[in-house]
Amino acid sequence: MPNQPKTPIRGFRITDELYRAAQAKAADEGRTLTDVIREFLENYIHGCAVADPGQRTAG
């Protein structure tokens, strides 16, 4: 297939509110949400500074 993606599609659960807000912020920055998530995961696995999951904000 000529337009076959180079990487498999992965799935995860996320609220609609968080998804829309993340998409909007990524678009404002001229990026895709895929790019943002990929960068976050790269930083996460390489030990770069990321938000501590134990320090979530109320909401």
Side-chain angles (χ1 to χ4, degrees):
M1 297 185 157
N3 292 326
Q4 189 171 13
K6 295 178 182 176
T7 57
I9 296 173
R10 309 292 184 195
F12 60 94
R13 294 183 186 274
I14 186 172
T15 64
D16 288 340
E17 179 182 21
L18 181 57
Y19 181 75
R20 284 191 299 267
Q23 268 193 315
K25 182 171 174 118
D28 287 346
E29 295 174 352
R31 304 168 71 192
T32 65
L33 191 49
T34 296
D35 292 336
V36 172
I37 293 168
R38 186 179 294 123
E39 180 182 337
F40 174 85
L41 290 174
E42 288 285 339
N43 289 336
Y44 179 72
I45 64 172
H46 293 295
C48 297
V50 294
D52 181 346
Q55 303 225 349
R56 294 182 184 159
T57 57

